Amino acid sequence: VRHCPFPILANGDIHSISVMENVLDSTYCHGLMIGRGALINPWIFKQWQQFQNDLPIQYPLLPEVFSYLETLNCPSELNEKKELTALGVLKRFANYIGLAIDSQGTFLQTMRRSRTLKEFWQCCATYLLCEPQKLFTGIPFPNLYAQPNKEGL
């Protein structure tokens, strides 16, 4: 990085402030590219801004994660085909967020098996509304993997 005449960006598995800080400190790169990390932790950019301004980093509570997923939901007037499409979209996002919900991956397993929007939202309510004071750090648990392209409806 020090010898290149152009800016170098780091990329890959950047999903939290601590990872961002470690990558910048260890590589001396000029910036970061964040892809899947923003899908796992949609609050990462706000958290980075807080970090850079020496403000306390705010992590959302699990019910806020539920509310975020609700903003991705399609209108309720859905026919069966549109419901399956909406379910697929929600599952794609939940596959990433779910990496940081529980260490055993039970949210992911249950969510992936949902066949209707009602089942999907029941799963989300069970895991995201049961501990309303629990923080969502956005840090994925080891040995859990997103499978957004392998969803069976």
Side-chain angles (χ1 to χ4, degrees), residues 61-71 121 124-126 128-129:
L61 299 171
L62 287 182
E64 292 173 80
V65 176
F66 184 91
S67 295
Y68 170 74
L69 287 171
E70 282 184 315
T71 66
W121 290 116
C124 289
T126 299
L128 301 175
L129 301 178

Side-chain angles (χ1 to χ4, degrees), residues 83-114:
E83 179 176 347
L84 290 177
T85 300
L87 179 61
V89 169
L90 288 167
K91 282 183 171 186
R92 282 187 197 98
F93 282 94
N95 257 299
Y96 289 104
I97 290 171
L99 299 175
I101 298 294
D102 70 284
S103 62
Q104 301 302 311
T106 52
F107 168 78
L108 286 170
Q109 292 170 3
T110 306
M111 177 274 301
R112 289 174 181 154
R113 289 186 180 113
S114 59

Side-chain angles (χ1 to χ4, degrees), residues 13-51:
D13 291 329
I14 299 171
H15 49 69
S16 68
I17 299 305
S18 60
V19 171
M20 293 169 91
E21 191 176 20
N22 289 338
V23 169
L24 288 170
D25 288 345
S26 64
T27 66
Y28 304 103
C29 66
H30 297 91
L32 303 168
M33 293 193 314
I34 301 172
R36 285 185 305 264
L39 294 174
I40 296 168
N41 180 8
W43 298 270
I44 194 167
F45 301 109
K46 180 180 178 182
Q47 293 165 350
W48 179 249
Q49 188 176 38
Q50 292 165 342
F51 175 78

